Amino acid sequence: YCPVSALKDIAQMVSLEKLNIDGYKGNDITSLTNLKNLTTLEIRNVNIDDEQVNFIRQSLPNCEIILND
């Protein structure tokens, strides 16, 4: 479980290279686009739409995004 407030803090950790988000209860993860060093982003059990996923993919073109519902 990842509280909404934690994601804002994580988005400030610009040196992160890998991130796994599981059970985030919010519905907006676009703040993660600040993490330009990400090479892998795994998203599990998060209620986001295709538009957000596409936005993140465009914003982080060098990042592998793994989606698991």
Side-chain angles (χ1 to χ4, degrees):
Y1 167 72
C2 179
V4 174
S5 60
L7 192 65
K8 292 177 184 176
D9 293 334
I10 292 169
Q12 301 303 313
M13 299 177 181
V14 295
S15 62
L16 280 179
E17 294 181 5
K18 295 183 180 185
L19 180 60
N20 180 321
I21 298 176
D22 190 347
Y24 176 63
K25 299 301 180 192
N27 59 3
D28 184 2
I29 63 168
T30 57
S31 62
L32 297 178
T33 59
N34 293 336
L35 304 175
K36 301 299 183 187
N37 289 324
L38 274 185
T39 58
T40 305
L41 173 60
E42 186 169 358
I43 304 167
R44 294 174 178 252
N45 304 310
V46 177
N47 186 23
I48 58 171
D49 58 26
D50 291 340
E51 187 175 321
Q52 282 190 64
V53 173
N54 290 334
F55 178 75
I56 292 169
R57 281 193 169 121
Q58 289 174 352
S59 299
L60 302 172
N62 297 320
C63 180
E64 176 186 14
I65 298 174
I66 303 164
L67 299 173
N68 296 304
D69 294 329

